[in-house]
Amino acid sequence: MPCGQPWLKSLQWLLWPAGLLKLLERAGLIGGAGLFPDRVSGQLWLARVWRDATDGNFGLSLPQFVLVAGRLGRLLLAGCVDPEPSEEDGPSQIQGVEAFAKQVLGTSA
């Protein structure tokens, strides 16, 4: 498929901090009953995680995006941001990715 496809441009947009933050807002993870009480706290968490996931680069590769999505999903399953659940005691990375996908896509099972 050519690179001009709309779905590909949308995916590329998510691999940048602003795109992922917008996705978190649209999925209800920021504000109200979301994981983050406001946009600033979501940005601060994402900036720290982004720096760790990308080794200081600006964009995420697809595997790095999956790791960040899994981390967010594990937070969803634990119901908190601080302290973050450990990988040993908390939900697995795969469970986290599934929880993130369900939240973002709005599915229940």
Side-chain angles (χ1 to χ4, degrees):
M1 280 192 167
C3 287
Q5 296 296 325
W7 66 269
L8 184 57
K9 286 185 180 185
S10 295
L11 178 61
Q12 290 170 339
W13 186 66
L14 288 175
L15 302 179
W16 298 91
L20 186 54
L21 187 63
K22 186 60 117 180
L23 177 69
L24 297 179
E25 288 176 320
R26 289 181 181 169
L29 296 176
I30 295 178
L35 283 175
F36 307 102
D38 53 42
R39 184 179 172 93
V40 172
S41 59
Q43 284 176 317
L44 291 173
W45 182 88
L46 186 57
R48 181 175 46 87
V49 169
W50 201 274
R51 184 184 60 241
D52 294 343
T54 64
D55 295 324
N57 295 319
F58 192 66
L60 290 174
S61 66
L62 189 56
Q64 290 168 330
F65 176 79
V66 171
L67 288 173
V68 171
R71 196 163 170 181
L72 279 161
R74 288 189 3 254
L75 292 175
L76 282 169
L77 292 171
C80 64
V81 175
D82 197 23
E84 267 188 59
S86 70
E87 291 187 41
E88 294 81 30
D89 299 331
S92 71
Q93 183 71 15
I94 293 172
Q95 290 170 319
V97 171
E98 289 175 340
F100 178 78
K102 287 177 185 175
Q103 178 74 26
V104 169
L105 297 175
T107 60
S108 59

